[in-house]
Structure formats: C-alpha cells, structure tokens
Amino acid sequence: MSNQTSWTMRALDKVERAGNKLPDPAIIFLFCLVVVWVLSAILSNFSFSAIDPRTAEAVVVNNLLTGDSLADFLSRMVTIFTGFAPLGVVLVAMLGVGVAEHSGFISAGLKRMLDSTPKTLLTPMVVLVAIVSHTATDAGYVLVIPLAGVIFYAMGRHPLAGIAAAFAGVSGGFCANFIPSAIDPLLQSFTQSAAQIIDPDIQVNPLNNWFFNSASTLLVVSIGWYLTDKVIEPRLKDVEVDGDPADIPKFDELNAKQSRALKFASLTMLGGLVALVAVLYPNSSPFRAPTGELTSFTAPIMQSIVPIIFLLFLLPGVVFGFMSGTFKSSKDMIDTMTKAMQGMSYYIVMAFFCSLFIDAFGKSNLGALLAIEGAEVLKTLALPSMVTIVGIIFLTAFVNLFVGSSSAKWALLGPIFVPMLMQLNISPDLTQAAYRVGDSSSNIITPLMPYFPLVVVYCQRYVKSTGIGTLLSLMLPYSISLLLLWSVFLLAYWGLGMPLGIQSNYIYPAG
C-alpha cells in the first residue's frame, strides 16, 4: 500500500472515529431544532438587505420562540410528523418489499441473478441501477440501496461496500441519468421563470440538461466503480459482519418447489410491468398529465410510484410465499409486513425529530437567508465565467448541507444565479447544470438529508456498530471525487461546445 493510500485510510479512520462520537442522529436533529429556535430569536432582531426572489421582499427571520410560534408548533407537531414526505415513501414501499423479502422471493431471485453475474461487473451494475432509479423519484433509497447490501453479501463481498456504492449512485449521482425524470421539468420551470427576468421571451426546454446528464452517467459509474473496489472495500476488510444472522438473507440452493415458485412469481411481476406499460401507453391514459406527459410532476403516474412499487413486490411475494410453502395462511403474509415495520422502528423515531427540525428551519427563513447571502457574495466577486461556474457548484454544495430539497434550493438560487450569469453570456442551461452538479455531489455527506439516517439503519443490519461517522467516512471519498471531477467534466464539456441538452430557443453564447 502506498504512502498516499495509507494517508487516505488514516484520514478516513479519523473521520469515522470523530463522526461516531457524535450523538445519535435523532439527538442531532433535536439539537439542531433547538439551535434553529435560538438563532431565529436572535436574528429576528436584525434587518437584512437580501431580497427573497419568491416574494420580491427583504428576507425576514421569523422568531420561533414567541408564544404564538410555540403554540403553533405544538398544535402542528402531529401533522408535521405525519406529513413528512420521506416517512410515507419508506413505510408504504417497505410493506410490499417486506413481503417479497420475508417470503423468500427476493433471495431466490438474487440467487438466480448472481449465478449469471460476473463478480467483476457487480459494482458498476449496482451504481448504474442506482442512477436509473432516479426515474422513480425516491424508490432508490428504499429499494436499490438495501438490495445492494444483500447482493454484495451474497457474492462474498462486504455488504457495506454495496450499500455505499448504491448510495453514491442514488444520491451522489442524482443529476446523472440517461432517462428523463420528474425533476427535469420541475427545475426547468424555475430556470425559465428566472431567465425571463432578463429576457421575457426566452423558452427553456424541460430536457435542457439531457445530453450532459446522460454523459455524466458514465462519469459517475466510473468514479463509483473505482472508489468502491479500490478504496472503500479494502478499507472494510477488517470490519466484521456481526449483524443478527436471522436478519441477514440466506442464499441456499433453490429446491424444485422454490424454483417453480420463483418462475411464477417472476411472471407475476413481469405481467404487472406489462400491464403498467399498456395502461400508460395510450395518449388518453388517466395516468398522464393533462398535457399528455408522463414525466411531469402533475402526471398521476409520478405520484403513484411508491404504490406501484408496493404492488409490484407484494403480489410476486405472495405468489412465491404460497407456492414455496413459506406462507401457510394470510396471517403469515401480514406477519411479514409486521416484521418489515419492526425493522423501520428506529427510522420512524429519527424521522420524528428530523421532520420537526426541517419544518422549523423552513419557518425561520434561515435557509433562505443563507442561500441568498451566499449567492450575493459570489455575484459581487465578479469572477471570470469559468471560475464563477465552479463557485456556483461549490456554493450549491455548501448550501445543500443545510437545505436538502433540490427544488427548494433552486427556487431560492435560480432567480439570482440565472439572471446574473445571463449577463455574463452564460446560458440558463449551463447555470442549471452547474447547480445540479453541486447539489448532487454533497447529498451523501450531510446527516441532515432525510434519507441519511435510513442508510445508517441499512448498514446496522450487517455491522451493528455502524454510526454516522462510519457512513460519513465511507461516503466522503465519493463526495469529494464527484465534486472535483464532475466540475472539471462540466467545464471541459462546456469548453468543447458539447450540447447540454435539447436546447432552448434562445441561448446566450457561452464565454
């Protein structure tokens, strides 16, 4: 091992030790909630010149420690928790996935898949599937990441390396995908309205970053493949898998009964997919948006991804369970759902405190102040175009550590970044691409991201001592590499005159 590699390992070990000394994630969210309350009370006494682009008025920090604010907080506490979007996504999806897992369907399917999958290509396939999962919004967090741990473990590799690789693809490579998704038209809508501040006639295409996102897929897969096999897994070689054997999937050879059950269960899942395509195909499909689009956020199909995942795993799981003999009665099926929810109990506790913190942070306007002030500093520096692009990437990555929602950040930053860079002859398409690179790269290193604690829970299934520091030390190499290499890739891509996507009708010339 080279001195440089040894230094890297020692540095990551220090990050892990320091991170694992942090309190439990639930306590961190509680502590952050108190900090937000105190800061809101202090900063509410000051006036700020930063203009909120959503209201065209100066940002005002709201005091959350007034009697009215505390009364409102207590009266809404239950609805804040029950309305926390990631909670419903995780629990509903896990009900179906739990049936498929505990019936033995997933284990049997993975066993068959692993028999024909070269071990050397496992990592890039996991990262690629994780990237493609963005098409189904948050499905990757509740489906791909835990399955990656199962697959790596079954192949005799460290399960935490599989979870890290999938997390890097799902969240770290969030803007890399060769399949358009609902996030594309959502961000485009903010970009277009911001661009029209300078040019009222400009039209920005919803796929304005499609070519760049597609090319980025190869970059993210390559980075994920190299780091997983050369950095992350070697570092885990001495980390013992000490999880409860009952919770770790077994991959015994399939008997004739199980093979027959797998065949019919797989046909059930395939039939469900064919039926879904048949329903979606007609232009008059009720699952399409009024405009006929499938990828628009207004399309019912985009709001139905989690229920579809629930059904696509529930039905084959039930078929496999009864045909293989795992299920003797309907009660056995319900018991598997109960067991799946028991495994989510720790995440539910963390989600409670996380939801309260995120709500308070938004109500206080501290996130808006942080984002707008940072953008104004960048604007006043008047740096060269290429340096400004890099500055936007790094500023976005920093803001992302505190404000997780991609669309919420762009609603704040877009009306500042887009008009500012248009005046420097930089197209809105490029500005949006730079934002997406910064946003994606830092997703995997902020414990304040709602799904970060869930990934910790996935890791604890295999290594009980896994903490925030463990996961942070695993994901830091991915984050730093993505941030640096992706920034260089964007600048090179732009400098070579490569298309960012299906271009808008009016583009400010680059450079």
Side-chain angles (χ1 to χ4, degrees):
M1 183 179 292
S2 66
N3 291 334
Q4 183 179 2
T5 303
S6 299
W7 180 89
T8 302
M9 294 299 181
R10 288 197 299 271
L12 292 175
D13 288 340
K14 290 180 180 179
V15 170
E16 178 178 359
R17 286 193 295 270
N20 284 339
K21 290 180 181 179
L22 294 171
D24 186 90
I27 300 301
I28 291 178
F29 285 122
L30 178 60
F31 174 75
C32 289
L33 175 64
V34 174
V35 170
V36 167
W37 280 344
V38 173
L39 285 178
S40 71
I42 296 173
L43 296 179
S44 64
N45 296 309
F46 297 88
S47 298
F48 299 94
S49 59
I51 302 299
D52 190 331
R54 300 169 298 182
T55 62
E57 298 178 355
V59 175
V60 176
V61 175
N62 299 316
N63 185 355
L64 301 184
L65 287 182
T66 64
D68 290 342
S69 295
L70 290 174
D72 176 70
F73 172 76
L74 290 175
S75 66
R76 295 186 306 110
M77 181 180 287
V78 174
T79 55
I80 291 172
F81 176 50
T82 57
F84 187 50
L87 181 66
V89 169
V90 170
L91 297 186
V92 173
M94 286 305 297
L95 283 172
V97 173
V99 172
E101 178 183 353
H102 295 296
S103 70
F105 170 61
I106 290 179
S107 296
L110 290 175
K111 174 63 179 175
R112 280 291 167 82
M113 185 189 73
L114 294 176
D115 288 340
S116 58
T117 301
K119 189 173 182 179
T120 55
L121 296 180
L122 179 61
T123 302
M125 286 301 297
V126 164
V127 178
L128 180 60
V129 170
I131 291 173
V132 174
S133 72
H134 304 156
T135 311
T137 58
D138 294 335
Y141 291 103
V142 297
L143 184 60
V144 178
I145 295 177
L147 287 183
V150 174
I151 293 172
F152 266 59
Y153 183 73
M155 291 286 278
R157 300 180 61 178
H158 204 289
L160 264 58
I163 290 173
F167 192 20
V170 170
S171 198
F174 187 69
C175 88
N177 199 346
F178 50 81
I179 301 177
S181 65
I183 195 67
D184 294 300
L186 179 63
L187 294 182
Q188 170 268 340
S189 64
F190 291 118
T191 302
Q192 178 165 295
S193 61
Q196 288 174 345
I197 295 174
I198 298 295
D199 182 357
D201 296 325
I202 192 171
Q203 295 293 316
V204 179
N205 193 289
L207 299 182
N208 63 326
N209 288 155
W210 182 72
F211 281 120
F212 173 70
N213 292 348
S214 298
S216 295
T217 302
L218 298 176
L219 176 73
V220 175
V221 170
S222 299
I223 293 173
W225 187 0
Y226 177 81
L227 289 176
T228 302
D229 291 356
K230 301 299 183 181
V231 177
I232 303 302
E233 196 157 22
R235 185 170 174 272
L236 291 168
K237 66 180 183 202
D238 295 326
V239 177
E240 181 184 359
V241 176
D242 59 357
D244 186 348
D247 291 335
I248 297 178
K250 306 274 192 312
F251 287 89
D252 299 326
E253 201 66 39
L254 299 181
N255 56 38
K257 192 175 184 181
Q258 289 173 327
S259 296
R260 184 170 180 271
L262 177 61
K263 177 181 177 181
F264 280 91
S266 299
L267 288 174
T268 301
M269 176 175 278
L270 179 61
L273 291 171
V274 171
L276 179 63
V277 172
V279 170
L280 296 177
Y281 184 76
N283 291 330
S284 59
S285 171
F287 284 93
R288 291 178 178 266
T291 58
E293 294 177 310
L294 284 173
T295 57
S296 169
F297 263 108
T298 60
I301 183 60
M302 298 310 298
Q303 311 300 324
S304 307
I305 294 296
V306 173
I308 288 172
I309 291 174
F310 168 76
L311 291 173
L312 285 177
F313 280 86
L314 173 69
L315 297 179
V318 171
V319 170
F320 183 90
F322 281 104
M323 292 192 67
S324 66
T326 307
F327 294 165
K328 304 297 184 184
S329 67
S330 59
K331 183 179 182 302
D332 294 331
M333 180 190 71
I334 299 301
D335 287 343
T336 62
M337 290 187 175
T338 303
K339 188 173 182 179
M341 289 300 98
Q342 289 173 346
M344 290 291 101
S345 58
Y346 180 53
Y347 175 72
I348 293 172
V349 174
M350 288 189 291
F352 173 70
F353 292 102
C354 180
S355 65
L356 299 182
F357 160 71
I358 290 176
D359 178 79
F361 196 62
K363 285 278 186 182
S364 68
N365 264 349
L366 290 173
L369 180 65
L370 176 68
I372 295 168
E373 290 288 4
E376 288 296 333
V377 169
L378 189 61
K379 182 178 180 179
T380 58
L381 293 176
L383 299 169
S385 298
M386 296 186 71
V387 179
T388 300
I389 290 296
V390 174
I392 287 176
I393 293 173
F394 278 78
L395 176 60
T396 300
F398 174 74
V399 173
N400 192 38
L401 299 177
F402 306 95
V403 184
S405 171
S406 180
S407 58
K409 283 195 302 296
W410 194 228
L412 286 169
L413 297 175
I416 300 170
F417 285 163
V418 172
M420 177 183 78
L421 269 66
M422 286 175 70
Q423 296 175 73
L424 298 175
N425 289 328
I426 295 176
S427 75
D429 305 311
L430 176 59
T431 305
Q432 180 180 294
Y435 166 78
R436 296 181 76 168
V437 169
D439 176 57
S440 299
S441 301
S442 58
N443 278 336
I444 50 181
I445 58 170
T446 169
L448 301 184
M449 197 266 284
Y451 289 107
F452 193 95
L454 179 64
V455 180
V456 174
V457 174
Y458 293 149
C459 293
Q460 289 173 344
R461 180 181 188 180
Y462 300 95
V463 180
K464 294 179 180 179
S465 62
T466 301
I468 290 178
T470 306
L471 184 57
L472 184 61
S473 68
L474 293 178
M475 303 316 300
L476 197 58
Y478 294 107
S479 181
I480 294 174
S481 299
L482 286 171
L483 187 61
L484 296 177
L485 297 178
W486 216 342
S487 299
V488 173
F489 180 71
L490 175 59
L491 293 176
Y493 191 93
W494 173 47
L496 292 172
M498 301 292 287
L500 287 164
I502 300 174
Q503 299 291 339
S504 53
N505 295 331
Y506 179 82
I507 291 294
Y508 280 78

